[in-house]
């Protein structure tokens, strides 16, 4: 298993997509945070928000990196299906597909942790770099630390989630498209009209971890249980499909 883990970890830095994806996450985060902060001064003057709340937002929305981590996980698997390398990977694993899934989950989670470190580092600096430019002094509170921790955890968890989606779909286009459409379209749209259902969806449940302010979200411990249930369900489905379908 050690050799298999070493091999899969080495694959995480093959190609350039592992470098390009965090740049996308940072760009999305920067656009969102700049937009929020640029409009915040008016809200503070009107008394509808506070410097502490704006500081939280300037940290919270670097959670955009979680989509990059999920796409990395999906591409980490599906690129091997697209190139035909997956057959060799299964041979190297001794023909044990379950071991290969586990090794890829671990390797992708390590990379997801790297994305999370980058996201939280930028998130911690962003209030001090951006807010003073708009005449707002950051106000860092205990809750801001909790938001920062949530950004880290969500980014780490998204990598194995992407791996499992990749095992299920086997297609780079389908897996990435599914992750993007579900995260940015389907889940927010459904939640808007049926919040009691939407809060149990995976990325909406993740919102609870970085203390999103929407009132209908699950408490943190409930959200952790929901995310664990989604990961378990995706793993069971991926395992079932992997053993029932041909490798290629």
């Amino acid at each position: 298993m050690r050799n298999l883990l070493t091999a899969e970890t080495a694959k995480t830095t093959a190609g350039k997509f592992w470098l390009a994806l965090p740049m996308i996450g940072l760009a999305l985060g920067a656009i969102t945070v700049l937009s929020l902060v640029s409009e915040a001064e008016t809200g503070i003057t009107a008394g509808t928000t506070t410097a502490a709340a704006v500081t939280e937002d300037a940290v919270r929305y670097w959670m955009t990196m979680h989509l990059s981590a999920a796409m990395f996980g999906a591409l980490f698997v599906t690129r091997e299906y697209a190139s035909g390398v997956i057959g060799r990977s299964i041979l190297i694993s001794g023909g044990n597909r379950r071991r290969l899934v586990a090794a890829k989950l671990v390797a992708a989670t390590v990379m997801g942790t790297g994305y999370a470190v980058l996201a939280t580092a930028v998130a911690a600096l962003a209030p001090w770099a951006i807010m003073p430019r708009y005449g707002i002094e950051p106000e860092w509170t205990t809750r801001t630390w909790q938001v920062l921790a949530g950004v880290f955890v969500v980014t780490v968890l998204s990598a194995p989630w992407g791996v499992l989606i990749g095992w299920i779909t086997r297609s780079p286009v389908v897996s990435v498209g599914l992750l993007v459409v579900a995260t940015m379209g389907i889940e927010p749209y459904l939640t808007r009209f049926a919040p009691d259902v939407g809060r149990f969806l995976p990325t909406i449940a993740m919102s609870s971890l970085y203390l999103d302010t929407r009132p209908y979200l699950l408490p943190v411990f409930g959200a952790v249980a929901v995310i664990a249930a989604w990961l378990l369900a995706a793993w069971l489905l991926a395992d079932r499909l992997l053993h029932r379908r041909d490798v290629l």
Side-chain angles (χ1 to χ4, degrees):
M1 187 65 179
R2 181 189 301 176
N3 291 338
L4 184 58
L5 278 173
T6 301
E8 291 301 325
T9 302
K11 288 180 187 176
T12 59
T13 53
K16 295 181 179 178
F17 77 102
W18 68 279
L19 279 175
L21 289 172
M23 297 303 106
I24 294 172
L26 292 178
L28 288 174
I31 292 169
T32 306
V33 172
L34 283 170
S35 175
L36 288 169
V37 174
S38 65
E39 298 173 358
E41 187 177 7
T42 304
I44 292 175
T45 303
T48 57
T49 189
T50 64
V54 177
T55 305
E56 286 178 20
D57 284 343
V59 171
R60 178 178 293 116
Y61 287 99
W62 296 98
M63 59 78 186
T64 50
M65 188 68 82
H66 87 277
L67 181 57
S68 295
M71 289 194 290
F72 170 82
L75 290 173
F76 185 48
V77 173
T78 56
R79 283 187 358 138
E80 293 201 2
Y81 277 103
S83 64
V85 176
I86 190 67
R88 188 172 64 187
S89 295
I90 291 176
L91 287 176
I92 293 174
S93 71
N96 189 327
R97 301 181 184 189
R98 195 161 287 162
R99 287 180 62 199
L100 181 60
V101 173
K104 283 197 176 294
L105 283 170
V106 171
T109 302
V110 170
M111 180 60 79
T113 303
Y115 283 19
V117 169
L118 176 61
T120 50
V122 175
L125 294 174
W128 315 100
I130 298 175
M131 292 174 63
R133 296 177 182 274
Y134 294 92
I136 308 169
E137 286 301 315
E139 189 174 324
W140 196 282
T141 66
T142 300
R143 183 179 165 88
T144 315
W145 284 111
Q146 295 169 344
V147 171
L148 187 65
V151 171
F152 180 88
V153 173
V154 163
T155 305
V156 173
L157 290 176
S158 294
W161 173 246
V163 167
L164 294 171
I165 295 297
W167 280 116
I168 293 169
T169 66
R170 297 186 170 197
S171 164
V173 174
V174 173
S175 59
V176 171
L178 180 62
L179 288 167
V180 172
V181 171
T183 301
M184 304 183 74
I186 296 174
E187 292 192 28
Y189 183 82
L190 177 61
T191 304
R192 189 179 307 164
F193 293 99
D196 288 340
V197 175
R199 62 183 179 166
F200 291 98
L201 297 173
T203 59
I204 301 299
M206 288 182 182
S207 303
S208 297
L209 302 191
Y210 50 80
L211 305 183
D212 192 290
T213 55
R214 285 171 288 185
Y216 50 79
L217 294 178
L218 294 167
V220 172
F221 288 112
V224 169
V226 168
I227 294 166
W230 275 103
L231 287 171
L232 177 61
W235 180 81
L236 291 173
L237 178 58
D239 185 73
R240 185 179 180 87
L241 293 176
L242 192 60
H243 285 84
R244 287 198 167 198
R245 295 190 294 191
D246 291 335
V247 173
L248 300 176

